[in-house]
């Protein structure tokens, strides 16, 4: 290897190394913070301390942890399941049963995709109030179940679903909904895994809309709770860090369990 | 089964599969969007509306807080999106090299920020960038600065923190799209160029970038939409839970202003809707501009 190649190799490793360090450091900071006092965090102490049990005790004293986690899990799981069903059905429908009218509808959907949430936030809030759904999880989940992004993603991925499989199933006399649930869903599990990661994270981490809809303490999710803990007049950062660790763990676990499927699914959708 | 019966049942099935999604999108998306458009022409506070014509639009031009929020949002957009996408593209190209060691580890590390919730990472950034915090400590220890930087209290530095925070959270996410697209490019093109003696930077500019143009366009449009809707970060890093974009509104964004207009002050739904349509118009104009720049030029 000549010196210039060696040098540029070194620079690439250096740049990627710095990027990886910067990417991972806040996670380290979060875990270390959970073991330190609020004062130590404020003065930038980046080594492990001995306040973990105190922080955990304080966190459990201030927050009804099982309830908050139950709320978050309920919201994220229901949201993910309904979004997967409704949006994958639509993506499959648009790709398999094409018609001119449906192509036009699909084009309109792609236009709607670029309309920001802020533009519907106020009327959506008033609509939920009139439907009597304020302070319910239905009000949080319903607007996101038909996700244009996920519909689009499933339509793109359906292009890779072998037509022979469908034809064989039709000859065997399966109905269209049976083909979908018994053949398409199992065959496309990579696509479902990738979509699960995206939707689960979006639901678990949702902030602005739940902040508007949820009005009582006993319905708050972990995301809302750590936000209000951190915005207190004098936040106890040690306690807040315990909260962020607990709030981040489920999404990290989902990511690592489904990671390989996730990359496969993403690659499949781009092809 | 006759041909016409077959197409009719296919058509019925087609509608049946998309029906649940269409009903939900109609009620919870199309209807609110149209309602919001109608409301943007109404004036009055609380629930007392009256038709105001252009009154809200005239008010926009004279509203210093709105102009401030608009300037901030566009500043974040113009500075942050190009930095983030350039980094994402460079990392993707570097990680696509099969000879690189530790690829899987580096890829996972750079993607990892995406798993954090916007609220959780905002809190982490807020504590890391505190006056006596770990970032200032590190910079002082390395003799890069001689006095601590007032990250969260000076308007200029508060903007920088927001830009760094968004870049941290979303670079890996965009990198994954580039990586996926790069894997579809035929390697023999690169081999041929390399054998012909085309240097690495020229291969990047003249081969990689043009072939990735559709994905670059996609990420540019989605990042633009995301940045124009910026809310969670400014609300949790610099506004300390919704006190209106402190320090002195340095990081107030359009979404935060809509939130304040609707849920903080005496609610003014009409004017809030007008501000929200400013975002819609910005998204439409910028997306059109981006498609126009990326269009296929016929020679």
């Amino acid at each position: 290897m000549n010196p210039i190649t060696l040098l540029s190799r070194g620079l690439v490793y250096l740049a990627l190394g710095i990027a990886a360090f910067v990417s991972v450091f806040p996670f380290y900071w979060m875990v270390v913070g959970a073991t330190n006092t609020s004062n130590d965090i404020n003065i930038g102490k980046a080594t492990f301390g001995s306040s973990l049990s105190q922080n955990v005790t304080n966190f459990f004293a201030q927050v009804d942890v099982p309830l908050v986690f139950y709320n978050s899990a309920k919201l994220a799981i229901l949201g993910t399941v309904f979004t997967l069903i409704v949006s994958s059905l639509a993506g499959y429908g648009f790709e398999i049963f094409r018609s001119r009218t449906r192509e036009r509808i699909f084009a309109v959907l792609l236009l709607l995709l670029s309309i920001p949430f802020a533009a519907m936030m106020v009327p959506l809030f008033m609509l939920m109030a009139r439907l009597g759904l304020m302070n319910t999880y239905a009000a949080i989940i319903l607007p996101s179940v038909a996700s244009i992004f996920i519909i689009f993603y499933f339509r793109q991925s359906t292009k890779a679903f072998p037509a022979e499989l469908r034809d064989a199933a039709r000859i065997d006399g399966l109905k269209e909904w049976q083909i979908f649930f018994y053949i398409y869903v199992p065959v496309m599990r990579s696509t479902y895994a990738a979509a699960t990661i995206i939707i689960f994270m979006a639901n678990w981490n949702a902030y602005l809309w739940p902040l508007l809809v949820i009005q009582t303490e006993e319905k708050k999710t972990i995301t809302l709770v750590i936000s209000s803990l951190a915005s207190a007049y004098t936040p106890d950062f040690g306690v807040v860090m315990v909260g962020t660790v607990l709030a981040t763990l489920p999404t990290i676990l989902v990511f690592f369990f489904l990671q390989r499927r996730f990359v496969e699914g993403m690659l499949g959708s781009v092809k | 089964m006759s041909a016409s019966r077959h197409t009719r049942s296919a058509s019925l099935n087609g509608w049946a599969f998309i029906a649940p999604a269409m009903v939900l999108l109609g009620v919870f998306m199309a209807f609110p969007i149209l309602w919001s458009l109608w409301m943007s022409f109404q004036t009055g506070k609380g629930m007392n509306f009256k038709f105001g014509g252009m009154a809200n639009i005239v008010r926009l031009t004279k509203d210093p807080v709105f102009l401030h929020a608009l300037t901030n949002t566009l500043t974040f957009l113009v500075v942050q999106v190009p930095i983030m996408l350039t980094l994402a593209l460079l990392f993707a190209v570097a990680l696509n090299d099969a000879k690189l060691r530790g690829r899987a580890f580096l890829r996972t590390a750079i993607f990892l920020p995406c798993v954090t919730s916007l609220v959780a990472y905002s809190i982490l950034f807020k504590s890391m960038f505190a006056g006596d915090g770990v970032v200032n400590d590190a910079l002082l220890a390395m003799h890069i600065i001689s006095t601590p930087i007032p990250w969260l209290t000076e308007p200029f530095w508060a903007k920088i923190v927001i830009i760094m925070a968004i870049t941290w959270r979303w670079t890996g996410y965009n990198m994954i799209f580039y990586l996926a697209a790069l894997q579809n490019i035929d390697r023999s093109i690169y081999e041929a160029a390399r054998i012909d003696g085309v240097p690495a930077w020229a291969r990047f500019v003249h081969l990689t970038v043009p072939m990735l143009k559709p994905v670059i366009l996609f990420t540019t449009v989605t990042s633009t939409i995301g940045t124009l809707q910026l809310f969670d970060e400014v609300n949790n890093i610099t506004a300390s839970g919704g006190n209106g974009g402190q320090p002195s509104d340095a990081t107030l964004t359009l979404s935060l202003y809509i939130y304040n207009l609707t849920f903080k002050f005496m609610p003014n739904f009409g004017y809030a809707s007008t501000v929200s349509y400013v975002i819609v118009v910005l998204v439409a104009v910028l997306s059109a501009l981006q498609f126009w720049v990326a269009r296929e030029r016929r020679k």
Side-chain angles (χ1 to χ4, degrees), chain A residues 9 13 22-23 29 42-43 102 114 116-117 119 122-123 128 146 176 205 207 212 227 241 251 255 259 266-267, chain B residues 13 15 25 28 32 36 97 101 108-109 111 115 117 127-128 132 137 168 176 180 229 235-236 269 279 283:
Chain A
R9 283 253 115 177
Y13 277 111
V22 170
S23 297
W29 176 249
N42 275 325
I43 60 166
R102 280 190 291 274
S114 62
F117 177 70
V122 175
M128 292 305 175
E176 292 297 333
N205 294 334
Y207 175 61
L212 301 181
S227 174
M241 290 298 173
T251 50
F255 173 70
Q259 188 189 19
M266 291 274 292
L267 292 177
Chain B
N13 275 310
W15 291 115
L25 283 173
F28 296 111
S36 170
D97 181 354
R101 285 183 195 191
T108 305
F111 182 78
V115 307
S117 79
S127 72
M128 290 193 306
D132 308 319
D137 281 0
W168 180 80
I176 291 287
Q229 299 193 55
N235 201 32
N236 284 292
F269 295 120
I279 302 182
V283 168

Side-chain angles (χ1 to χ4, degrees), chain B residues 234-258:
Chain B
V234 284
N235 201 32
N236 284 292
I237 299 180
T238 39
S240 59
N243 298 331
Q246 285 156 356
S248 61
D249 286 350
T251 57
L252 182 76
T253 60
L254 290 172
S255 280
L256 190 54
Y257 189 42
I258 296 170

Side-chain angles (χ1 to χ4, degrees), chain B residues 186-244:
Chain B
D186 191 353
R187 286 191 181 276
S188 59
I189 302 172
Y190 281 97
E191 280 307 304
R194 212 172 52 82
I195 291 162
D196 288 347
V198 180
W201 64 268
R203 291 200 297 266
F204 177 74
V205 173
H206 296 294
L207 281 175
T208 312
V209 172
M211 280 190 287
L212 290 187
K213 209 157 81 175
V215 193
I216 294 174
L217 179 64
F218 171 78
T219 52
T220 311
V221 171
T222 50
S223 306
T224 302
I225 296 172
T227 311
L228 286 176
Q229 299 193 55
L230 197 60
F231 175 84
D232 300 23
E233 291 88 341
V234 284
N235 201 32
N236 284 292
I237 299 180
T238 39
S240 59
N243 298 331

Side-chain angles (χ1 to χ4, degrees), chain B residues 273-294:
Chain B
S273 299
T274 312
V275 178
S276 74
Y277 262 84
V278 171
I279 302 182
V280 175
V281 171
L282 280 175
V283 168
V285 169
L286 289 172
S287 304
L289 185 71
Q290 285 157 1
F291 274 100
W292 181 76
V293 169

Side-chain angles (χ1 to χ4, degrees), chain A residues 9 12-13 15-17 19-27 29-30 41-46 86-94 97 99 101-102 105 109 112-128 130-131 133 142-143 145-149 151-152 170 176-177 180 198 201 204-208 211-212 223-224 226-228 230-232 235 237 240-241 244 247-248 251-252 255-256 259 262-263 266-267 270-271, chain B residues 6 9-15 17-18 20-22 24-25 27-33 35-37 39 47 49 90-91 94-95 97 99-102 104-121 123-128 130-134 137 168-169 173 176-177 179-181 183-184 215 218 221-222 225 229 231-232 235-236 240-243 255 258-259 262-263 269 272-273 276-277 279-280 283-284 287:
Chain A
R9 283 253 115 177
V12 166
Y13 277 111
L16 288 174
F21 174 76
V22 170
S23 297
V24 175
F25 181 77
F27 291 92
W29 176 249
M30 173 171 82
I41 296 168
N42 275 325
I43 60 166
K45 180 169 176 287
V86 169
S87 298
S88 73
L89 274 171
Y92 178 85
F94 275 117
F97 307 101
S99 79
T101 324
R102 280 190 291 274
I105 295 175
L109 291 191
L112 286 180
L113 189 58
S114 62
I115 294 196
F117 177 70
M120 49 198 124
M121 182 168 87
V122 175
L124 207 51
F125 183 81
M126 292 162 75
L127 179 68
M128 292 305 175
R130 281 192 200 181
L131 292 174
L133 291 176
L142 278 172
V145 162
S147 155
I148 299 176
F149 181 75
I151 294 172
F152 182 60
R170 278 183 184 155
E176 292 297 333
W177 65 268
F180 179 83
I198 296 169
M201 285 184 184
W204 181 271
N205 294 334
Y207 175 61
L208 173 54
L211 178 68
L212 301 181
T223 309
L224 294 177
I226 58 170
S227 174
S228 66
S231 62
F237 273 114
V240 172
M241 290 298 173
T244 49
T248 312
T251 50
I252 291 187
F255 173 70
F256 278 106
Q259 188 189 19
F262 178 69
V263 176
M266 291 274 292
L267 292 177
V270 178
K271 268 178 193 159
Chain B
H6 185 254
S9 84
S11 175
L12 272 180
N13 275 310
W15 291 115
F17 274 94
I18 67 168
M22 291 308 106
L24 287 167
L25 283 173
V27 175
F28 296 111
M29 192 168 188
F31 175 60
I33 288 169
W35 191 356
S36 170
L37 183 63
M39 265 201 303
M47 285 294 163
F49 295 129
L90 291 175
F91 292 156
L95 288 174
D97 181 354
K99 280 176 285 187
L100 192 83
R101 285 183 195 191
F105 168 75
L106 290 167
R107 189 182 63 196
T108 305
I110 297 175
F111 182 78
L112 206 56
C114 296
V115 307
T116 58
S117 79
L118 300 183
V119 171
Y121 99 82
I123 293 169
L124 294 178
F125 270 71
K126 190 180 175 182
S127 72
M128 290 193 306
D132 308 319
V134 68
D137 281 0
W168 180 80
R169 174 65 168 70
Y173 175 83
I176 291 287
F177 286 97
L179 266 177
Q183 314 221 318
N184 291 335
V215 193
F218 171 78
V221 171
T222 50
I225 296 172
Q229 299 193 55
F231 175 84
D232 300 23
N235 201 32
N236 284 292
S240 59
N243 298 331
S255 280
I258 296 170
Y259 175 82
T262 318
F263 303 102
F269 295 120
S273 299
S276 74
Y277 262 84
I279 302 182
V280 175
V283 168
S287 304

Side-chain angles (χ1 to χ4, degrees), chain A:
Chain A
M1 228 189 257
N2 67 49
I4 293 174
T5 330
L6 210 61
L7 184 69
S8 67
R9 283 253 115 177
L11 284 176
V12 166
Y13 277 111
L14 183 67
L16 288 174
I18 292 172
F21 174 76
V22 170
S23 297
V24 175
F25 181 77
F27 291 92
Y28 169 76
W29 176 249
M30 173 171 82
V31 175
V32 163
T35 69
N36 279 320
T37 63
S38 192
N39 192 43
D40 282 340
I41 296 168
N42 275 325
I43 60 166
K45 180 169 176 287
T47 49
F48 284 94
S50 54
S51 307
L52 176 63
S53 63
Q54 187 59 49
N55 288 334
V56 172
T57 311
N58 288 347
F59 183 74
F60 276 74
Q62 289 172 35
V63 178
D64 187 344
V65 179
L67 178 71
V68 165
F69 265 84
Y70 171 74
N71 290 344
S72 273
K74 188 167 138 188
L75 194 64
I77 292 169
L78 287 177
T80 307
V81 169
F82 284 120
T83 310
L84 279 178
I85 296 172
V86 169
S87 298
S88 73
L89 274 171
Y92 178 85
F94 275 117
E95 182 59 25
I96 300 293
F97 307 101
R98 294 194 201 184
S99 79
R100 196 174 289 172
T101 324
R102 280 190 291 274
E103 290 299 318
R104 286 203 186 121
I105 295 175
F106 193 74
V108 173
L109 291 191
L110 291 186
L111 280 179
L112 286 180
L113 189 58
S114 62
I115 294 196
F117 177 70
M120 49 198 124
M121 182 168 87
V122 175
L124 207 51
F125 183 81
M126 292 162 75
L127 179 68
M128 292 305 175
R130 281 192 200 181
L131 292 174
L133 291 176
M134 267 310 159
N135 206 29
T136 67
Y137 294 138
I140 301 179
I141 293 172
L142 278 172
S144 64
V145 162
S147 155
I148 299 176
F149 181 75
I150 300 296
I151 294 172
F152 182 60
Y153 174 68
F154 271 100
R155 180 177 184 165
Q156 288 301 106
S157 306
T158 303
K159 293 182 198 292
F161 179 60
E164 306 84 55
L165 270 179
R166 214 176 61 239
D167 293 338
R170 278 183 184 155
I171 292 164
D172 288 345
L174 263 69
K175 296 203 168 59
E176 292 297 333
W177 65 268
Q178 291 173 316
I179 297 176
F180 179 83
F181 283 106
Y182 300 144
I183 297 175
Y184 177 82
V185 175
V187 167
M188 304 298 282
R189 53 186 185 276
S190 300
T191 307
Y192 277 91
T196 302
I197 295 187
I198 296 169
I199 306 166
F200 182 86
M201 285 184 184
N203 277 289
W204 181 271
N205 294 334
Y207 175 61
L208 173 54
W209 183 235
L211 178 68
L212 301 181
V213 170
I214 297 303
Q215 292 156 336
T216 55
E217 283 299 321
E218 77 271 8
K219 295 223 169 166
K220 278 191 173 176
T221 62
I222 181 75
T223 309
L224 294 177
V225 166
I226 58 170
S227 174
S228 66
L229 280 181
S231 62
Y233 189 66
T234 46
D236 184 334
F237 273 114
V239 173
V240 172
M241 290 298 173
V242 171
T244 49
V245 169
L246 291 175
T248 312
L249 264 181
T251 50
I252 291 187
L253 290 179
V254 168
F255 173 70
F256 278 106
F257 274 120
L258 297 175
Q259 188 189 19
R260 189 181 297 165
R261 285 276 161 74
F262 178 69
V263 176
E264 278 172 30
M266 291 274 292
L267 292 177
S269 76
V270 178
K271 268 178 193 159

